[in-house]
DNA sequence: CAAACTTAGTGTATTTTGTACACAAACTAA
DNA sequence: TTAGTTTGTGTACAAAATACACTAAGTTTG
């Protein structure tokens, strides 16, 4: 019993972390499927008084007073979707005073926030993940979390369509600077998959031969001595990334 | 008298704008002189109780509740340095809870802020200007504003050295995407000046002939039929930018 | 089991861009 | 007149971008 008591004393007091009412983070999580990019959205849940026909939103929430922005983004993503240990990068900060003024957004904020009228600026984060590596398990005020094709995203809550646009633009720039494949493709992938990924992100089309030549000139995309199996056509060779062979410009 | 009265009624009541205690903006303003980049810094002024040996800082302050972040950055820059109508771009947001905890920063905050202990996240903005186009006239809590060579910047207040680094990195990326010359060079400039600008921003050196060839391949750097005058060597030809001939990638 | 279907994989010619490199010309100051 | 300083130029080679069409290797179907 004594040791149990001592153990209890070592547990820090369960004070609620203090919330900063003015700053939130939102996460724009992309995944790639063969027919394009998808983004992770949540369906808001207003506790008891469920609001029908509410808008989808990016996972996001207010930050705690004692956590960094990066930590907040990770926590919020985990709380709302169950996704853990995802490397997030900051994209842009949105701070229009009117960004939370739409009626539906106000209704929702009133149903879940202590200070629903407070000015909120939000810091957008983004990441690329392999859908299959993560199990979505919504909690907190997300009734559901789901992948939606980027080309089919409807009107979202707040200014979240603008956040999505900015994150896409960020991706496009970034893919020029470093290869983004290892985040999004399976460990072993075909060059056709890689090409489709580039075409999806850059919203463009490339010549197959030139693309292959360019890719194979790099030292970090490495052919394996394996082929696809069970496809109804000539099987493609498989490749992998060697992250260690890539060096930033 | 009547019309005067009516006129008075139309003037909005002089309420102080409400300040948001949790969000600030900071401006990283660069200028280019022949021997490198300079950045605009202020010397803080703690009202009566002047703190000796205080650190230099980037111009920045808390935002008002009813203004956008962009507007706040413009206002703050104007209030602190007199610089007006500068096109600012958002760079990055810094939100470490400990970023304002240095003793000197705390002392200063206590001397000027209503809530000196409040968590403050800051949104960094940057711009490139021609020094000669603007007259610096510090006011508010800036005792002085001054241009400091980027290579000679000392330790700054808060996390402002990190903000400066990030803004420099932003510049380097940006100069690959669009020519930054028109912001920083005189209307008519020599190719040597342009080359020095690129070398300053990218912190690199280029071959003169190759640089000239590359520049002249563009359609937006246009030779004038004029030469430098009064220089103690062969006078260089002058060029100008034609912004309309440049199209983003 | 042959034919049809689907995707993989390959080479060449041309143009454009990058890179390395050295010396004469134009002006001023002494 | 000379010394000093910066401008302005050309060539040869290597690397990268671009345009373009057919055969090969599997599976499915009839």
């Amino acid at each position: 019993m004594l040791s149990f008591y001592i153990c209890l004393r070592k547990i820090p007091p369960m004070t609620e972390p203090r919330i900063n009412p003015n700053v939130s983070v939102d996460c724009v999580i992309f995944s790639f499927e063969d027919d394009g990019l998808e983004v992770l959205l949540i369906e808001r849940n207003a506790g008891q008084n469920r609001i029908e026909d509410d808008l989808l939103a990016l996972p996001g929430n207010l930050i705690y007073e004692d956590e960094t922005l990066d930590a907040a983004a990770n926590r919020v993503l985990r709380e709302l979707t169950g996704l853990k240990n995802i490397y997030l990068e900051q994209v842009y900060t949105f701070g229009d005073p009117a960004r939370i003024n739409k009626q539906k957004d106000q209704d929702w904020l009133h149903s879940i926030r202590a200070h629903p009228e407070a000015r909120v600026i939000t810091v957008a984060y983004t990441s690329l993940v392999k859908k299959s590596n993560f199990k979505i398990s919504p909690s907190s005020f997300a009734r559901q979390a789901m992948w939606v094709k980027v080309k089919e995203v409807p009107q979202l809550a707040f200014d979240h369509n603008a956040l999505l646009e900015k994150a896409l633009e960020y991706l496009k720039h970034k893919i020029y600077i470093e290869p983004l494949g290892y985040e999004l493709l399976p460990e072993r992938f075909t060059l056709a998959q890689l090409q489709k990924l580039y075409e999806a992100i850059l919203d463009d089309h490339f010549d197959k031969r030139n693309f292959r030549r360019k890719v194979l000139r790099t030292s970090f995309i490495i052919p394996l001595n394996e082929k696809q199996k069970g496809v109804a056509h000539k099987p493609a060779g498989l490749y992998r990334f060697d992250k260690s062979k890539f060096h930033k410009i």
Side-chain angles (χ1 to χ4, degrees), chain A:
Chain A
M1 277 308 264
L2 181 61
S3 67
F4 180 58
Y5 176 65
I6 287 170
C7 170
L8 263 185
R9 295 211 20 165
K10 281 185 173 170
I11 295 174
M14 275 293 288
T15 52
E16 283 290 312
R18 276 162 55 225
I19 287 174
N20 184 310
N22 293 308
V23 182
S24 70
V25 289
D26 285 298
C27 299
V28 188
I29 310 299
F30 293 106
S31 178
F32 173 72
E33 295 302 305
D34 270 4
D35 47 353
L37 287 177
E38 300 185 351
V39 62
L40 186 58
L41 299 177
I42 62 168
E43 215 171 85
R44 297 190 288 200
N45 190 340
Q48 313 302 21
N49 18 345
R50 172 172 162 171
I51 300 169
E52 284 305 333
D53 189 33
D54 193 20
L55 300 172
L56 296 176
L58 295 169
N61 204 357
L62 296 173
I63 67 171
Y64 292 152
E65 284 290 10
D66 60 358
E67 71 188 343
T68 63
L69 296 171
D70 292 14
N74 267 287
R75 171 181 60 79
V76 164
L77 183 61
R78 177 165 35 77
E79 287 176 358
L80 287 175
T81 69
L83 267 61
K84 279 186 271 198
N85 299 323
I86 290 185
Y87 177 66
L88 292 160
E89 288 179 78
Q90 194 193 112
V91 174
Y92 200 78
T93 298
F94 293 76
D96 191 316
R99 60 179 287 278
I100 61 171
N101 289 358
K102 271 189 289 189
Q103 191 55 52
K104 271 186 193 172
D105 295 330
Q106 276 294 311
D107 292 348
W108 184 71
L109 289 175
H110 275 84
S111 81
I112 59 142
R113 290 228 170 128
H115 304 284
E117 308 284 1
R119 163 89 178 266
V120 181
I121 71 158
T122 199
V123 184
Y125 277 78
T126 194
S127 186
L128 301 167
V129 303
K130 279 176 247 190
K131 224 161 96 169
S132 54
N133 282 3
F134 298 93
K135 204 172 120 206
I136 301 178
S137 54
S139 46
S140 183
F141 58 72
R143 195 164 51 202
Q144 231 191 102
M146 62 187 94
W147 294 103
V148 177
K149 287 190 204 318
V150 165
K151 301 224 165 194
E152 295 169 10
V153 167
Q155 198 203 336
L156 300 177
F158 305 113
D159 48 2
H160 286 186
N161 292 93
L163 269 70
L164 174 57
E165 279 309 309
K166 202 81 178 182
L168 273 171
E169 197 186 299
Y170 179 85
L171 263 196
K172 283 189 198 185
H173 277 124
K174 186 158 171 170
I175 205 172
Y176 280 111
I177 296 178
E178 75 180 71
L180 299 177
Y182 22 79
E183 325 285 353
L184 283 163
L185 294 175
E187 197 129 339
R188 302 173 314 144
F189 53 89
T190 70
L191 294 188
Q193 284 178 297
L194 185 64
Q195 182 173 351
K196 273 188 190 157
L197 170 63
Y198 272 74
E199 291 177 342
I201 291 179
L202 295 173
D203 202 10
D204 201 347
H205 173 76
F206 306 109
D207 176 80
K208 188 175 32 158
R209 277 176 291 195
N210 295 337
F211 183 84
R212 292 173 71 91
R213 181 175 18 238
K214 177 148 182 171
V215 159
L216 296 176
R217 260 207 300 266
T218 78
S219 54
F220 48 86
I221 290 172
I222 294 165
L224 301 165
N225 288 325
E226 299 179 65
K227 284 181 186 297
Q228 283 181 313
K229 273 179 188 159
V231 288
H233 53 76
K234 177 171 174 179
L238 293 171
Y239 294 76
R240 66 176 179 86
F241 283 104
D242 186 339
K243 224 166 173 167
S244 72
K245 295 250 169 73
F246 172 73
H247 302 289
K248 265 204 180 182
I249 309 169

